[in-house]
Amino acid sequence: MRKVLVVLGVGVLSFPLLFVIWLLLAVRLPKMDALTMQMPMSVRSIVANAAAGEMGWGKGAKPKLERVIRIDPQNASAWTGLCESYFGGPERSADVQTCQKAVTLDPTAGNYNGLGVAQERAGDNCAAEDAYTEAASKASSSGSYGYTERMGRAALLCGKAYDARAGFEAAIDVEKRQLAAPDADDDEDEVADEKQDLLTDREYLIVTANRLSDRKLAETTCSEAHPGWKGCACSLDAKGKVACAEAVR
């Protein structure tokens, strides 16, 4: 009887260690997924969360993300990563449903932005405007202008000129303030990018002003964007990109 109790005691004390060893193997060895899938969902979630923490976000991450989702279909981190994995280059198609799932599980500004990118690439600019608007409203930092400028562009392509104006003017206001008082750790490339963003958003605002028949706004914005020009002739190309040239009078 005493030996039995000793064996049981050793077994009880060893169980946590054995579980940790199994967990490490289950996280790192996809060959163990068949066994993992037979475990209770609470255990599968532990494995999925641990695997998500080790999968990385660079090239080759997509199969690892899909593996995490197979183990735990409700893993928010994996759905977020899978949504973002579609935006590595123009050759990748945006998966709206994937990004909608990410938003459902974790409605952050970043996930709404990802959904907007997916919808925009799918040609649904009106839906993209709504997603970018949600992203902008959830953004915790007033120093981020990316969501508002994307909202403006999507609204312009959707035919909502007033919404587009609001988006561009909000983005321009942030860009001007950041350039007037740059962060100490901003390098030259970052400052140059902000200046280019400011110029581009002003050019989009000129197109928007023309659609609103607001000549004063168009002229004022033109003089700010291109001080040496006599006037601005701005238009959108087939892909919705803005292009401006000096107007001939």
Side-chain angles (χ1 to χ4, degrees), residues 18-242:
L18 293 174
F19 177 77
V20 170
I21 294 173
W22 173 84
L23 178 61
L24 291 174
L25 293 174
V27 168
R28 297 177 181 177
L29 299 178
K31 291 182 179 181
M32 294 188 63
D33 287 356
L35 175 60
T36 302
M37 297 295 285
Q38 302 304 315
M39 296 291 178
M41 183 54 69
S42 57
V43 177
R44 288 168 57 181
S45 295
I46 294 173
V47 174
N49 285 328
E54 296 187 358
M55 63 191 169
W57 304 95
K59 185 177 180 181
K62 186 177 178 181
K64 297 177 183 179
L65 294 165
E66 292 174 337
R67 176 190 174 224
V68 171
I69 290 173
R70 284 196 300 273
I71 296 173
D72 179 8
Q74 303 302 312
N75 188 279
S77 295
W79 282 105
T80 295
L82 192 58
C83 172
E84 293 175 352
S85 73
Y86 286 99
F87 311 134
E91 75 282 356
R92 298 186 182 181
S93 61
D95 190 326
V96 175
Q97 290 183 335
T98 295
C99 296
Q100 285 177 329
K101 181 69 173 181
V103 164
T104 299
L105 293 173
D106 192 13
T108 61
N111 279 340
Y112 270 107
N113 179 67
L115 176 59
V117 173
Q119 292 167 329
E120 195 171 2
R121 289 193 177 184
D124 193 347
N125 292 297
C126 295
E129 183 213 347
D130 292 338
Y132 290 138
T133 301
E134 285 289 340
S137 69
K138 291 179 177 293
S140 58
S141 172
S142 60
S144 175
Y145 58 84
Y147 302 144
T148 51
E149 69 178 4
R150 293 187 191 115
M151 179 191 77
R153 294 177 193 181
L156 184 60
L157 294 173
C158 179
K160 299 179 180 179
Y162 286 104
D163 291 348
R165 175 177 178 174
F168 291 129
E169 288 183 332
I172 289 169
D173 180 64
V174 174
E175 291 159 348
K176 288 166 60 179
R177 284 191 280 109
Q178 288 185 346
L179 288 170
D183 292 335
D185 56 352
D186 284 353
D187 57 32
E188 292 182 0
D189 290 339
E190 290 174 324
V191 173
D193 287 342
E194 287 186 0
K195 288 181 178 179
Q196 182 58 52
D197 289 341
L198 175 58
L199 173 60
T200 301
D201 288 339
R202 279 173 167 162
E203 291 180 338
Y204 272 108
L205 183 56
I206 293 169
V207 174
T208 304
N210 288 331
R211 293 192 180 181
L212 291 170
S213 299
D214 191 333
R215 183 176 177 179
K216 182 178 179 180
L217 176 62
E219 291 178 347
T220 300
T221 307
C222 176
S223 65
E224 293 172 340
H226 301 284
W229 288 10
K230 296 178 181 179
C232 294
C234 299
S235 61
L236 303 182
D237 63 17
K239 295 183 178 180
K241 301 296 183 181
V242 68

